[in-house]
Amino acid sequence: MDRPLTEGRAFPVLLRFALPVLGGNLFQLFYTLADTVIVGKTLGADALAAVGSTGIISYFVLCFVQGLTGGFGICLGQSCGAQDETGMRRSAAVSWALSALFTLLLTPLVCALARPVMVWMQTPEDIFADAYAYLFVILLGTGATVFYNIISYMLRSLGDSRTPLIFLVLSSLLNIALDILFIVPFRMGVAGAAWATVLSQLLSAVLCTLVALWKYPVLRTRRADFTGCRSAAVRHLRVGFLMGFQMSVMCIGQLVVQSCVNRLGTAAVAGYTAATKVDQLSVLVNTAYQIAISSYVAQNYGAHRFDRISDGVRASLLQLESVNVLMCAAMLLGRNAIVSLFIDAPTAEIVSYAGGYLQTVAPFYVVLGLLIVYRSTVQSMGNGTAPFLACVVELVMRIGGALGLSRLLGYTGVCFSSPLAWLGATALLIPFYIREMRKGKNAAA
């Protein structure tokens, strides 16, 4: 196992762990942007809008998968921090089994629901066929998403954030190559971009798993590891399913936001898509610290090191918010040039939609950072109630903002829905964090 997260000064430990995760996320953004650029430049604005109009649906599934597998990783990380090898082996065995089970259940379900959800979201008719073709392939590859995420979270729970980075870089480069191959000479259209994403992610997951099993014997499942694992399975389901449900519920609000944008027409969808693709830079940076602080807190919670948890929270806030301020400045300065990255000769209307979104959302990146750190910390300390309540607050405020403010302010009102949701959830979580820390320190004393 790599150097435990229970040793050393919090600031460099978190930074050293977070940087490979951040690097992986940036490469993920890179190949996502490559998808968008290749589709927009070769197939046109309508194809770009088709891919963008379904993004929140595939993101909905991804959120559940990441929450589920991230919850399994928290359980493994707590056993790792407690230096419980039997618990680690049992956690790995249960995680493999439950991930396979959810793959079998999820894949046919999401594929069957794809078309009805697109109709409910009022996807414009002129892009509906391409949008469905792209989405169906992405959802068909749900197993690849589960596979990659579970092995990545297992490794990070053991303190290894470098191995997932290596194979994500490989996946990114392969995805770009397959994008060009499938879209240009093979003329597979937007479906080709989807197949490129699924196949590259699957190969990355397979190779990463082989290396992980070679490096970490504790991940090699034996028959004995399944003995008496019922209580472990219940614990993993309680943590993982709750986190997956929370993240999916948050995406429901974003589905409503996307449907509000869809009603404004193809130009709005294209501008919103371009802006949110760039806005993913902020999401991925904050997600990197979500993964880092979750692994860090899980290990230290298992070791009953509450002093290190508070040090880690301060260190992660300092690092993350510094980056958020820089990203905000970059987004505001470059907001009107964003669309040209994806579409040749974009209309003034599309540029206006993209710039308006970034101008509204970017100043609130600091609030998103607070939400990420405090939610991840409370979850990794075993409190699932507070993040769930925060999730409900976030959902209500995002939907209320999108539906209510859109009537008053139009597109600008839709854009304000996310910052409002972040503010509400953060205000709820901070008191819970303070209470959990007091309770943990009193119990340790």
Side-chain angles (χ1 to χ4, degrees):
M1 185 173 67
D2 285 23
R3 184 178 178 181
L5 302 178
T6 53
E7 300 175 3
R9 289 174 51 239
F11 191 96
V13 167
L14 267 168
L15 185 61
R16 185 171 59 246
F17 185 86
L19 283 177
V21 182
L22 178 58
N25 283 357
L26 291 176
F27 262 93
Q28 189 174 22
L29 174 63
F30 175 61
Y31 81 68
T32 300
L33 289 177
D35 261 351
T36 308
V37 170
I38 293 170
V39 168
K41 295 288 188 180
T42 59
L43 301 177
D46 284 356
L48 175 65
V51 172
S53 68
T54 65
I56 189 58
I57 303 175
S58 55
Y59 186 58
F60 178 86
V61 177
L62 176 62
C63 280
F64 179 79
V65 170
Q66 288 184 333
L68 181 77
T69 53
F72 296 166
I74 285 175
C75 295
L76 178 58
Q78 289 176 349
S79 297
C80 178
Q83 299 183 351
D84 178 7
E85 183 174 344
T86 301
M88 292 166 65
R89 287 187 171 278
R90 185 164 293 163
S91 178
V94 167
S95 297
W96 287 122
L98 291 177
S99 296
L101 175 63
F102 273 98
T103 296
L104 294 175
L105 294 175
L106 271 179
T107 304
L109 177 64
V110 295
C111 286
L113 291 176
R115 185 180 291 274
V117 172
M118 288 178 60
V119 172
W120 171 78
M121 290 179 61
Q122 302 182 44
T123 304
E125 291 184 9
D126 55 339
I127 61 173
F128 192 97
D130 276 349
Y132 179 72
Y134 180 86
L135 178 63
F136 186 82
V137 175
I138 291 293
L139 296 180
L140 196 63
T142 298
T145 303
V146 175
F147 192 4
Y148 175 77
N149 277 277
I150 188 57
I151 189 59
S152 296
Y153 277 113
M154 282 182 171
L155 289 169
R156 290 162 182 156
S157 296
L158 298 176
D160 183 356
S161 59
R162 293 188 297 273
T163 301
L165 168 63
I166 293 171
F167 290 101
L168 187 55
V169 171
L170 172 64
S171 175
S172 302
L173 297 176
L174 178 61
N175 184 79
I176 294 170
L178 291 178
D179 267 339
I180 297 172
L181 179 67
F182 290 165
I183 292 177
V184 182
F186 287 5
R187 299 184 181 278
M188 294 173 64
V190 294
W195 278 114
T197 298
V198 170
L199 293 176
S200 59
Q201 188 174 52
L202 179 61
L203 178 62
S204 176
V206 170
L207 295 177
C208 189
T209 300
L210 293 175
V211 172
L213 295 176
W214 171 68
K215 290 180 66 176
Y216 304 103
V218 74
L219 298 180
R220 301 172 195 166
T221 302
R222 306 169 304 185
R223 180 177 297 181
D225 298 328
F226 290 96
T227 304
C229 67
R230 178 175 297 180
S231 60
V234 170
R235 175 170 166 255
H236 282 64
L237 280 173
R238 185 174 62 248
V239 177
F241 186 78
L242 187 59
M243 284 182 61
F245 181 74
Q246 289 166 11
M247 294 187 70
S248 296
V249 166
M250 288 186 292
C251 287
I252 292 175
Q254 293 174 330
L255 280 169
V256 175
V257 172
Q258 182 69 61
S259 67
C260 290
V261 174
N262 289 349
R263 294 171 193 161
L264 299 174
T266 301
V269 175
Y272 180 81
T273 297
T276 52
K277 288 295 183 182
V278 177
D279 183 56
Q280 283 181 3
L281 175 63
S282 169
V283 175
L284 293 177
V285 169
N286 282 274
T287 300
Y289 272 87
Q290 174 181 315
I291 293 170
I293 193 65
S294 293
S295 300
Y296 176 91
V297 171
Q299 283 199 19
N300 283 283
Y301 182 77
H304 304 291
R305 295 292 307 275
F306 291 93
D307 57 325
R308 286 184 59 77
I309 292 176
S310 58
D311 289 344
V313 168
R314 286 193 294 269
S316 61
L317 283 174
L318 178 59
Q319 295 171 24
L320 178 56
E321 299 297 37
S322 298
V323 180
N324 276 331
V325 170
L326 293 175
M327 286 191 297
C328 172
M331 296 293 181
L332 294 178
L333 290 173
R335 65 185 184 278
N336 291 327
I338 293 299
V339 183
S340 299
L341 295 173
F342 307 103
I343 304 172
D344 287 327
T347 65
E349 188 180 13
I350 294 177
V351 172
S352 175
Y353 278 121
Y357 176 87
L358 294 174
Q359 187 174 7
T360 303
V361 173
F364 291 91
Y365 285 164
V366 172
V367 179
L368 176 60
L370 292 172
L371 173 59
I372 289 295
V373 171
Y374 285 113
R375 182 174 60 201
S376 302
T377 300
V378 172
Q379 279 178 333
S380 299
M381 293 171 67
N383 184 333
T385 302
F388 178 76
L389 292 176
C391 167
V392 173
V393 170
E394 193 172 350
L395 174 66
V396 171
M397 296 192 74
R398 179 171 278 120
I399 293 178
L403 297 178
L405 290 179
S406 63
R407 296 178 181 178
L408 298 174
L409 303 174
Y411 179 74
T412 302
V414 176
C415 296
F416 266 116
S417 61
S418 288
L420 285 175
W422 299 339
L423 284 166
T426 303
L428 178 69
L429 282 167
I430 292 177
F432 273 100
Y433 164 74
I434 295 171
R435 193 186 74 170
E436 286 297 320
M437 290 301 297
R438 286 176 179 170
K439 185 168 63 175
K441 288 177 180 179
N442 290 337

